Structures are given as structure tokens and as C-alpha cells.
Amino acid sequence: MRRGSEEATSVKRRMAEDGRDESVAADDDSQHTAEDGRNGLNNTMVEESPTLLRRMEICVAEAEKRSGKNAVNMQETFTVYLIETRPMDALAEGRNPAPDSLWRRYSEFELLRNYLLVSFPYIVVPPLPEKRAEFVWHKLSADNMDPDFVERRRVGLENFLLRVASHPVLSNDKILHHFLTEEHSWKEVVYETGFQAKADSRLKALSATFRVRNPDKRFMDMKHYSDELQSHTSQLLRARARVADRLYGVYKVHGNYGRVFSEWSAIEREMGDGLQSAGHHMDAYAASIDDILEEEEHYADQLKEYLFYAEALRAVCRKHELTQFELEMATQDLISKKQQHEELSTGIVRTFSFKGMTNKLFGQEAPEQREARLKLLEELIEEGEEAVKDKTVECEEHVEKAWVDVQRFKEQKDKDLREALINYAVMQVSMCKKGIQMWSNAKECFLKM
Amino acid sequence: MSFSLEVLGSRLTWTWRRRTTWRSTARTPPSQTGGPSSPSSPSSMMNQYREEEEEELFITVDHPESHVTAIETFITYRVVTKTSRSDFDCSEFEVRRRYQDFLWLRSTLEERHPTLIVHPLPEKFVMKGMVERFNDDFIETRRRALQRFLDKIRDHPLLRGSPSLNVFLTAQDLAPHRKQTLSLLSRWGGTVKMLSQSLRGVRSRPEEFSLMQDYVEQLSSKICSVDKVSQRIVREQREYVEELQQYSAPYKTQSCTRHLSSTLIPVLHDYLLCADTLKAVMKRRDNIQAEYESKREAMERRGDQEGEEEEEEEVQALQEKVEVCNSSLQEDWSRWRSSMRTDLKTALLSTAENNVQHYEKCLAVWETFLLSQREEGSEQKEEDVP
């Protein structure tokens, strides 16, 4: 319980810094551009890590509204985002070539992510920014076309790309490359991989979750943890939205002081100047909340990223449950086939079987039939053994690779959340200082009254 | 200042008693800084003068208590007086007073000084949101308002020497005095009736009083706005704190809300009530002028007839009365304005200061947190580097 809330509070820190930079993911080995306000240390780390990001600078530069016909041939408006890429070596050499660019809409990002989810079920795949605005407080609109929302989504999409491109496994994927470089043929290429067929059915996965007998304890703990992370972050986000609403109210009402003091100063001789200037400070105070809450929104976004990451983590755990369950089923199946074989060959019935019953009732079958069935069973047993072998391999591989990625994810998360919390605190400090400044100014004005 | 007081004193038929000797040290004033050496030396004369000017008087209103009788339940407040003034028999008094007694004091003061601005009392009832008249918050707010009322009377250069104040502060039982006033009230009522019969409104109100009237109207509307805004802020802050408490522990913002409610809002409230007082004072001044004008007109109409001299004297007296009232009101008006400025300035300053302190506290919390995080971070970095 405590661990979850610790994570959640440290997220707030990281949010501040990221929000300020605007350029996104504080993943240390993912950091990117020359424009990055932070130090050259990040650049060297980029070069060292064997990821796409080393070779290519990526950013989501702009967003635009477009109209077009959708799948059911109806006119719709949607937003597209400009992805720009530049080769890293050119930048290192000091050249400044024009970036290659293409436009993508949100649904294409979703397609890419679904592909990655299916193709790399042992990886905690970075999440996309939310599809619809949630945890809104009254000032924020829930409209997907709202420019603030679009801007925050642009930042989130860039973050997603940077995380994927800096991932040791994901960054080498061809489809990802295509996504970044081929605007028009990409969709066909993705569909051709046939990934949709490989996707596990939800029903299968759900049934596995309930019926699996011996899942790896570490993954069960991980699942438990991801549940807690999710619940804590969503509580935090909800509470934050309500608090933001109230704080907005408090600040804005002070703006009324501005108006009233101004009117009042008109009828006063000695107090006039003091009241008037105090009124201006009250107006400034009321206006300051807009910037503060906008910045806070960035941190909320970072918290949301980890909310969605929890889902990705859970997906990896579910995949484990599935592979484990399939292994158990295959093993079970093999055992039962072997038993049947034994019964048939020795005539000793160990367990109740329908065949045994019918034999008793209708007499034993003819020897040829028995031979045929034994043969069949032997083949099935062979297949079964292959299946068990394959499933074991699949399961073990998944466990191995997944565990590696989960460790990587944990490290990244701890770092990110810690940074976010620090940066959030920095923002709070600045907000307090501003408050002190404003009220001290107001004091000065009152003194002159 | 003192000259006009003499004039007023003789006209308004009570005397301003000046102390001429410094009382013996047996009656020591509450805050003793140093006594005179001997009564006749020059320095002690100076001391006398200084002491007289200070006229120390300290009044506290506290210890509200509930009294239940067969007929009613009411609250009394303990009023403690410490004084070095000669018009008081002792240097310390303690009495119990209820709200009605304060009302009596105020109306007596208003009668005797119709054109002086007497600070208002808190309202008798507060209708909205208060079911229980004896709610603790209500009692405390009222107690503070009563304290402010007495402080204002004490600070007023003319009212502070009023015998009614003396009686109020010292008499164990106020009842006999209140009965006296009742008869005074009936006499006053009679005068008013007389006035209203001859009243036709004021002919030519001096400009300064018209301006005063306008200003009071505007001021009361502005203060009302400020009050509304403040109340709204209190509400918003309360809701904010409620949400915060569900969110995280380290915030302590209670101080913000309580401060506005206990400092700025009561002061604003007092000055809202003052608006009514001021209007009443100006009405009375107008009436006095109207009385004079109507008498004068009546005299002019009668022309040359008997009884002229008597009438003339009457009219003359009324004219002087008008002049005296005008000048006393003018002076009191500027005293009141300066006092209002001070009060509001203090209250606003205090509000701003409170906010600054609130932010400073929050700042300290966050900076401490940052410091602890950065220490942790740098420790880790040292471990990483082999």
C-alpha cells in the first residue's frame, strides 16, 4: 500500500521538469536533442545505448486539423501530427539538414501500439496519451479538438515515440522504422504482418487467469503491484482535479477585489492610490493561477502515463498466465493420453473412462480396432510431447525476457517518478514565492493608504 | 481643539471636567512609567498636563455567561475597567452587562450628542443561517464587536468623558439609570414631534454636508462589495481546504480562512453599520437646521409684532445651535474618516501579512522536502561512481 503511494508522489516530481522542458520523456537513456536544456551527459548516454534514438532524432513537431472521409464514407474532422526525423550523425557533425517528415493521426499510433503489443508480449509497451480527456476539472474542456488538449496530446505522442525508440528491444522493429519513414504504405505493411490474427482472444486470456494453477510468483506479485499502482494513481489524479478546481476558485475570486478596490479608490482622497495599486496586484494574483495550473497539467499527464503503464504491465503478467496455463493444459493433455494408452495396452482401468464403460457393457472391441487406436494414441502422444516441449520453451522464454524488461521498467519508473516529484516541488516553491511577492506588494500598497 | 471644546461644552450643557491635580500614587494607573516627584515642581506640572492628556482608560469585554430566568435566557459579558481618570471613584471596576445595556449606553450617547458619530453596535439578530442565538461563534463575534464599540467610545475625544459611560462602566445595577433615561427619551420624543410639525425639509444644506451624504452612500456600497467578495473567498477557501485534506497531509491552510473571518470581515461589517449611523446623524443635523429655518421664516412672516424680542432670541439661539452642530459634525467627520482609514488599512495589512506568512510556511515545507530529496540523490550518485 505504502509503496504504491510512494511511487505516486514521486511521479509528481518528475512531472514538473518534463512539463517545463516540453520536450518530454525523462528517460535517461532516451534523451535526445541538441535543444535539450539539460546537460551533455544525456547526449553521451544516448550514444552509448544501442537504440534507434542514437541514430535518429525524433520529434512530433506540430498538429493540424484535417477533414476527410472516414471508413463509412462520412465527413469527419480529425487532427494529424507531424513527425520529424533527422539522422543523428548529421547533427553530430554540425550539419543541420532539413528533417524528413510525415503526418500521422492518433488512430495510426494506436495501430502501431497494438502491433507492438501482439509482437512483443513480454515487453511492457509504453502507453499512448489518453484517447479522451479524463480527470478534467471545470476549466479544461473534454473536447478532443480543444487546442490545449491537442497540444498535450502532441507532447504525449512524442513521449511515446521517444520511449519506444529508446527501448533496447522495441527500437529495432522494422514496422516502427516504417512508421517513422513511410507515410502512405505503412498501413498495408502492418496488416501484412498478420499480427491481428496472432492476438490472443480476451476470453482465452481471462479464462487462463482464473484457471492457471502454478503461475510464477514474481509475476503474481507484479500483477498485484500494478493493480495498486493503478488504483493509487487514479485516486491521486481525481483528487488533484478537484483540488485544482477549488484552487482556481479561490484565486479568481480575489480578482473581484481588484475590481472593487478600483471602484472604491475613485471616491477616496487619501486612500485612493493605495487601493488602486492594491487592486492591480489582486488582478495579477487572480491571473497567476492560469499558468500555475497549466504547468500542473503537465505533471498530471506524466502521472497518467504511469497509470496507463500499469495496464501494460498487467498485460505482460496476463500473457504469462496464458502461456503457463497453456503449458499446464498441454501437460495435462499428454498425461491423459498416456494414461489412455496404458489402459488400452494393459487392459487395466485406473480411472473411470467412457471407453472402459462401453467395453464392459458391449464387450471388448476387436483386436484390429485396438491396434488402430493404440497407434493413433501413440501418434497423439508424440504430438503431445512436442506440444509440451514447445509450450515449455514458450513459457520459459516469455518469463525470462519479460522479467528482464520488467526490471528495466521498474528502474525507469523509479527514476521518472522521483524526478517528477522533485520538479513538482520546484514548481510549488516557485508558486509560493510568487504568492509571497504578490501579497508583499499588496502590503506595500495598503501601507500607502 | 481645546478651545472649541470649551465652546461646545457650555452650549451643550455638560461640562468638560479638567483635572487640576495629579492624584496620589495610591491610585496608580495600569501602565506605570514613572510618577512625578512633587506636586508643585515644573516637571510635575508638565507630567500633570501629560497625564491629563493621556487620561488612561482600559476596558475589556470578556467572559460571556448565560443567564436563565423564568421569562428569558440571555448572555451577559464581564466588563472590566482600569483607569486613572479623576471622574472615576476607583481605579478598577468590574460589572456584568448584557446587550440591552450596551444599547442603552449608545442611545443615551446619541441623544446627548445628536451630531456626533457614535460607533454602531453589532446587530440584534443575524437572521440568515443562525438558528441558535447562543451559538459559540455568534457570541464570540458579538463579544469582539462590543469590545470594539467600547474602544471606539473610549478613543472618542468627546464621548469618552460622558457620564453615561461612567455609569455604564461602574454601576453594579444599571436599572435605576435606565429609568431616568426613559423619561429623557419621552422628552426627546416630544421634541421630535414638535420638529416634525414644523418640518419642511432643509432649505439649503451646506455643500460639505451634501458631499458627505454622497460619499457615505458610495462608501457603504463599496464596503458592501468588499464584504461580499471576502465572504466568497472564505467560502472558496473552506472548500479548498476540505478537498486538500482528502488529498495530502502537509498543508495547513486553516489559518487563511479564520483570519479573514476574524479580522477583515468584522471591521467591514462595522463600517457597513456606520453608514446607517452617518445617515442618521446627518438627518438629525438637517432637522436642527430645518427647525431653525422654520422658526426664522415664521418670525419673518409675522413681521413687526409684539414678542419680537423673545422670538428673536430664540431664533438667535437656534442659529448658534446650528453653527455649533455643523462644526462639531465637521470635526467628528474628519476624525471618523481618519479612524476609518486606519481601521481598514490595519485590517487589510493584516490580511496581506497573513497571506504572506501562509505562503512562507508552504515554501518552507516544499524547500525542506527538496533538500531531503537532493541529499538522497547526491548520496546515490556517489555510490554509483566507483
Side-chain angles (χ1 to χ4, degrees), chain A residues 68 173 211 217 227 248 250 261-262 279 336 339 370 389:
Chain A
D173 187 83
R211 293 163 62 189
K217 182 166 189 310
D227 285 340
Y248 184 78
V250 171
F261 283 173
S262 191
S336 111
Q339 251 177 12
R370 232 183 92 210
K389 229 184 276 173

Side-chain angles (χ1 to χ4, degrees), chain A residues 299-366:
Chain A
Y299 311 150
D301 280 345
Q302 290 173 348
L303 196 56
K304 273 183 214 169
E305 194 194 12
Y306 275 97
L307 178 65
F308 304 141
Y309 252 126
E311 181 57 50
L313 190 59
R314 202 176 313 121
V316 171
C317 296
R318 274 202 302 264
K319 182 67 181 176
H320 165 74
E321 284 170 341
L322 188 60
T323 52
Q324 174 70 16
F325 176 67
E326 284 175 349
L327 174 61
E328 285 172 6
M329 289 274 87
T331 316
Q332 189 57 39
D333 187 62
L334 184 62
I335 291 175
S336 111
K337 295 255 178 333
K338 284 190 174 162
Q339 251 177 12
Q340 281 183 7
H341 187 273
E342 196 189 320
E343 281 169 21
L344 207 53
S345 51
T346 61
I348 299 172
V349 178
R350 291 233 187 140
T351 57
F352 176 79
S353 74
F354 191 59
K355 203 61 193 160
M357 267 267 296
T358 53
N359 281 346
K360 284 228 160 78
L361 286 173
F362 303 112
Q364 292 266 8
E365 50 200 342

Side-chain angles (χ1 to χ4, degrees), chain A residues 242 251 257 268 285 443, chain B residues 215 230 243 353 355 359 373:
Chain A
R242 283 200 303 263
Y251 270 72
Y257 269 153
E268 293 291 340
Y285 181 73
K443 250 176 76 179
Chain B
Y215 173 78
S230 307
E243 287 293 352
E353 176 58 35
N355 282 329
Y359 277 113
Q373 291 299 312

Side-chain angles (χ1 to χ4, degrees), chain A residues 17-33:
Chain A
E17 189 159 36
D18 264 24
R20 234 203 306 281
D21 280 336
E22 231 184 33
S23 44
V24 165
D27 212 47
D28 267 18
D29 61 0
S30 79
Q31 240 13 332
H32 57 303
T33 85

Side-chain angles (χ1 to χ4, degrees), chain B residues 337-356:
Chain B
R337 280 197 68 166
S338 141
S339 157
M340 172 199 78
R341 210 162 55 238
T342 312
D343 283 350
L344 286 169
K345 176 169 157 177
T346 311
L348 288 169
L349 267 174
S350 156
T351 305
E353 176 58 35
N354 185 63
N355 282 329
V356 168

